[in-house]
Amino acid sequence: MAKPQHILQLSEEQRSSFVDSFDRVLSDIDGVLWTLEHSVPRAADGYAALQRIGKKLTFLTNNSVRTVEQCVQKFAKIGMQVRPEQIWHPARSVVSYLQSIKFQGLIYIIASQQFKAVLREAGFQLLDGPNEFIEESYVCLAQHIFGREPVRAVIIDVDFNLTSPKLLRAHLYLRHPECLLIEGATDRLLPVAKGVNIIGPGAFASILMEASGKQALTLGKPGRELGELIVEQCKIDQPSRVLMIGDMLAQDVSFGRQCGFQTLLVLSGGCSREQLLAETDPQFIPDYYADSVADVAQLLGEAPKSRV
C-alpha cells in the first residue's frame, strides 16, 4: 500500500481533487481540537474553512466522560459554534442502538455518572455497583456479585472507579444466553500527556469478552455497529465521499477504513509521525496526514475553490 501523503505536499491538481472528493466530514475531538493540556492552535480555523466551502461537519468521540453540553461549551471557547446534534459519543450511540432494536429490560452498567445519566434520561433501567469497598473475603464478595436481577444487557465504558467486583458481577450476568455485551469506548490505551498512556476501557471489555465467550457490540470507534448506526442516522449513501479526521490509528483510521470513508490522520494527539511511518497494517494506514487540522485551513486557502 502506498504511504499516506501530507496534505500540504499535494500538487495543485491533487489538492483540488482531494477537496472535491468529499461532502461530509466526521471528526474526532480529543487530540484533534484539544488535548488534556491545551487547545490545538488554529484547529478551529480548519473547520471554519471546511464549513465555508459547504462541507457538513459531525463530531465523533469515544469520550463520554465529557457531556455533550460540556463539549458545546468547550467548542465555544475556541470560537466554534457546534450544535449538540452534531456531536456523537458512546452514550448517545448506545441509546440510539438500544432504541433501534427496541430493547426492553434491565441493564447492568460500568461507566461514568455522565454516561449513566444519558441512558436514564432515555428511559432505560440501570443497575450498577458495588460502589463501596468490600471486605476481603469470599463470603462478602459473593454477597456483592451474585444477583437474581433479570439483567439483559451489560454495558462497559470508562469508569474511573472500576473495581474487580464490578467486572465479576458483569461476568456473572453475562452467563444468561440472552444477555447482550455492549462496549462504548474501545481504547486499550488512553494518551493523557506527551508520551504517557493509561490503560483504557477496551482492555477491561476484553476481559469480559474472554471470560464470557461473547463478542461485544461496539458503539464506540472503531466499532462496526457504530459505523452502521452513523451511516444510517446521517443518511450517508456514498461512504467514499466522507472524510474521517482523527489522531489515532486504531480508533479513527481503522474506523474510517472499515466504513469505506476517506481518512486523514493529524499528528496533534495520540500518534507521532514515526509511529505513522512505521505502521504496516493497511487497516491502520490513512489516505492522508497533516500536522494538525490547521493545515486544512492552509490547504483550502491555496486550493482552487471547491465545486460543492
Side-chain angles (χ1 to χ4, degrees):
M1 181 174 178
K3 290 190 175 180
Q5 293 178 284
H6 194 295
I7 59 172
L8 296 185
Q9 293 174 354
L10 298 173
S11 68
E12 185 174 320
E13 184 179 347
Q14 288 172 323
R15 290 184 185 201
S16 178
S17 176
F18 169 59
V19 170
D20 286 334
S21 70
F22 61 92
D23 310 308
R24 178 184 292 275
V25 172
L26 294 181
S27 177
D28 184 30
I29 298 177
D30 293 279
V32 178
L33 282 143
W34 52 69
T35 66
L36 283 178
E37 300 167 311
H38 57 78
S39 297
V40 176
R42 295 193 61 234
D45 294 347
Y47 293 101
L50 287 166
Q51 282 188 298
R52 274 196 298 272
I53 60 172
K55 309 301 184 185
K56 297 177 183 177
L57 300 183
T58 302
F59 295 92
L60 191 61
T61 178
N62 272 4
N63 185 352
S64 289
V65 176
R66 186 184 295 116
T67 66
V68 168
E69 291 72 23
Q70 289 169 335
C71 276
V72 168
Q73 293 167 7
K74 201 166 172 79
F75 275 118
K77 286 181 180 177
I78 62 171
M80 292 180 64
Q81 303 305 311
V82 176
R83 302 185 309 277
E85 58 268 25
Q86 287 178 270
I87 302 170
W88 281 77
H89 62 49
R92 176 184 174 187
S93 302
V94 167
V95 165
S96 294
Y97 178 79
L98 292 175
Q99 290 173 339
S100 74
I101 64 171
K102 297 180 170 52
F103 178 87
Q104 292 185 327
L106 195 57
I107 297 169
Y108 177 70
I109 187 164
I110 300 173
S112 66
Q113 294 303 320
Q114 294 91 327
F115 194 116
K116 295 171 191 174
V118 173
L119 268 75
R120 288 194 178 104
E121 286 167 14
F124 293 103
Q125 290 183 288
L126 306 181
L127 280 179
D128 61 11
N131 296 311
E132 69 278 0
F133 286 108
I134 66 172
E135 180 187 329
E136 293 181 344
S137 72
Y138 282 108
V139 171
C140 186
L141 178 66
Q143 291 171 347
H144 285 86
I145 66 173
F146 284 95
R148 297 183 180 277
E149 301 91 350
V151 169
R152 291 299 174 264
V154 167
I155 296 174
I156 181 166
D157 190 73
V158 174
D159 181 357
F160 292 154
N161 294 291
L162 177 65
T163 60
S164 172
K166 289 182 181 180
L167 288 174
L168 297 176
R169 187 177 178 187
H171 173 234
L172 290 172
Y173 286 131
L174 288 167
R175 292 184 303 171
H176 193 288
E178 294 179 12
C179 186
L180 302 176
L181 174 57
I182 298 173
E183 64 176 335
T186 63
D187 312 60
R188 300 185 72 83
L189 290 172
L190 294 171
V192 293
K194 198 70 175 175
V196 179
N197 296 323
I198 60 174
I199 297 173
F204 302 116
S206 292
I207 291 173
L208 291 180
M209 283 188 268
E210 181 180 347
S212 68
K214 291 189 176 184
Q215 187 61 40
L217 298 163
T218 304
L219 276 303
K221 296 173 297 178
R224 178 180 57 81
E225 291 82 12
L226 174 63
E228 292 171 350
L229 194 64
I230 293 293
V231 166
E232 181 183 351
Q233 298 268 340
C234 293
K235 295 179 171 58
I236 296 170
D237 55 2
Q238 287 184 277
S240 63
R241 293 197 59 81
V242 175
L243 178 67
M244 176 72 206
I245 301 176
D247 69 308
M248 302 283 279
L249 298 177
Q251 272 70 41
D252 303 314
V253 174
S254 176
F255 176 72
R257 288 215 165 278
Q258 182 172 249
C259 295
F261 305 150
Q262 297 184 62
T263 52
L264 170 63
L265 179 83
V266 290
L267 304 178
S268 52
C271 182
S272 68
R273 186 173 184 274
E274 292 72 28
Q275 289 171 313
L276 168 62
L277 296 180
E279 184 57 61
T280 58
D281 188 337
Q283 186 67 14
F284 296 155
I285 299 176
D287 298 300
Y288 306 94
Y289 76 101
D291 293 343
S292 78
V293 181
D295 288 347
V296 174
Q298 185 176 339
L299 173 109
L300 293 177
E302 297 177 11
K305 187 176 178 65
S306 172
R307 293 189 296 273
V308 175

